[in-house]
Amino acid sequence: MTGSSRGLTRRAALRHCRTALETADPGDAAGDARFLLLGVLGLENRDLLVEGDRPLDDGEAVALDAALARRLAGEPVARILGAWEFWGLPIRLAPETLVPRPDTEILVEAALASVSDRSAPLRCLDLGTGSGCILAALLSELPRAYGIGLDRSAAALAMARHNLAANGFGGRSAFAVGDWCDAMRGTADQTFDLVVSNPPYIVRDVIPTLHREVRMHDPLAALDGGADGLDAYRRILDGVRTGNLLAHAGVLAVEIGYDQAASVRSLAAAAGFVDRGLTRDLAGHDRVLSFGLPKGHGDPHLRIDRH
Ligand code: GLN
């Protein structure tokens, strides 16, 4: 058991949290303690520096003790706060959304790297948008772009809608409930310059071996990639291709697991996509694959009529 933070100053409360967390799991106790304190009290780093001697009021102490107890029981800080940061943007979370990973910023970077004119009115589609963090990041860098986010979960979409609006992109985004590309059926001739996705890609049998914080606190539906981890890629590649969702010079960029590049590349080739490269994450792991359409696709005179 840890003591209460009642009556402590902000600075002492930070120390109290850090000590308690270090005893339980020295991993990132200092960072966790800081994020927890700042998040629960609604403070910024500056408030700790300038007003570190200010005592917590009773309500703050109760809230901090409750949050600390949850962290000590193994819940990630982002879940306790219901909020995290992605691409420098504040993102709120629901139980139905993944905690945004720093690795997923590589997906945003890869998608942006494929854009030749960032001020163009690009059309973006985010499949399995979750909290909407990827779409928010893209729209923050593409001032005239608009984006559509699809997700199976209505609760996730409500959070995505909130996050886009809270970051100032509400007027450039729209959301629809749908299973992968299905919601786009019947929207004839709607194509996208960027199609992005961080789909569930964990092999089902591997899920029980994942780190406890992921296994217990991230939504299973956002992790489970089926028996071989590739179910979502099959759906996405097929849906984007048969639905003609990619503009002829557009790019489809997907996050992948570290050992999935070869499999996803061969699925993409079989679905008729052209390889546009692999991007690794900061740890050197394969992380993002980009695909385009074959040259000539979309040229009316080259289009083969269906019989
Ligand atoms: N990278 C995530 C993890 O390892 C997996 C997220 C996903 O399946 N898209 O927890």
Side-chain angles (χ1 to χ4, degrees):
M1 269 318 286
T2 52
S4 159
S5 43
R6 186 174 294 246
L8 298 183
T9 64
R10 288 171 173 175
R11 201 170 293 124
L14 176 62
R15 218 174 309 124
H16 165 68
C17 289
R18 195 178 56 217
T19 309
L21 293 173
E22 265 162 4
T23 318
D25 169 14
D28 189 24
D32 282 1
R34 181 170 292 269
F35 282 126
L36 212 53
L37 182 84
L38 297 179
V40 170
L41 303 189
L43 304 177
E44 299 188 7
N45 264 319
R46 189 184 55 230
D47 303 314
L48 263 183
L49 285 174
V50 182
E51 288 188 278
D53 292 333
R54 190 155 141 179
L56 307 192
D57 66 33
D58 282 356
E60 289 175 331
V62 168
L64 186 61
D65 288 341
L68 182 59
R70 285 171 69 180
R71 180 71 199 107
L72 287 168
E75 205 171 333
V77 175
R79 287 281 166 220
I80 297 168
L81 301 178
W84 209 231
E85 207 176 84
F86 183 78
W87 203 260
L89 305 170
I91 299 294
R92 271 179 54 189
L93 306 174
E96 294 78 7
T97 67
L98 279 181
V99 174
R101 317 308 206 225
D103 287 340
T104 301
E105 296 185 346
I106 305 292
L107 173 62
V108 175
E109 279 171 13
L112 289 173
S114 75
V115 171
S116 52
D117 175 8
R118 290 200 183 185
S119 62
L122 299 171
R123 297 153 299 184
C124 309
L125 176 66
D126 182 12
L127 300 169
T129 193
S131 66
C133 64
I134 297 165
L135 207 50
L138 288 175
L139 295 187
S140 78
E141 301 290 341
L142 303 169
R144 292 182 61 217
Y146 69 87
I148 293 180
L150 303 181
D151 206 286
R152 265 179 309 191
S153 161
L157 283 182
M159 201 42 94
R161 189 176 283 118
H162 165 90
N163 284 326
L164 274 283
N167 281 292
F169 313 127
R172 296 196 278 137
S173 53
F175 297 91
V177 178
D179 207 10
W180 300 119
C181 301
D182 290 0
M184 301 307 294
R185 278 197 192 146
T187 54
D189 297 331
Q190 174 64 295
T191 63
F192 295 88
D193 303 293
L194 288 177
V195 179
V196 292
S197 185
N198 172 22
Y201 56 67
I202 310 290
V203 172
R204 187 167 296 157
D205 286 350
V206 169
I207 291 175
T209 70
L210 294 179
H211 194 278
R212 174 164 193 275
E213 294 195 353
V214 174
R215 180 167 44 85
M216 309 267 295
H217 298 287
D218 273 316
L220 187 61
L223 298 171
D224 185 351
D228 64 358
L230 303 171
D231 282 359
Y233 300 111
R234 292 189 185 89
R235 294 286 310 275
I236 290 168
L237 291 163
D238 178 63
V240 170
R241 198 70 166 98
T242 60
N244 272 318
L245 296 179
L246 202 56
H248 72 94
V251 165
L252 164 66
V254 293
E255 181 170 326
I256 56 165
Y258 70 97
D259 58 354
Q260 291 175 322
S263 322
V264 175
R265 275 181 156 151
S266 68
L267 288 174
F273 288 94
V274 172
D275 204 319
R276 297 280 296 265
L278 166 75
T279 314
R280 296 202 168 85
D281 62 24
L282 297 176
H285 295 132
D286 295 353
R287 187 54 63 194
V288 174
L289 284 173
S290 303
F291 301 105
L293 294 174
K295 258 209 158 49
H297 181 94
D299 276 354
H301 62 281
L302 288 178
R303 192 174 277 158
I304 297 161
D305 288 327
R306 288 167 206 256
H307 295 287

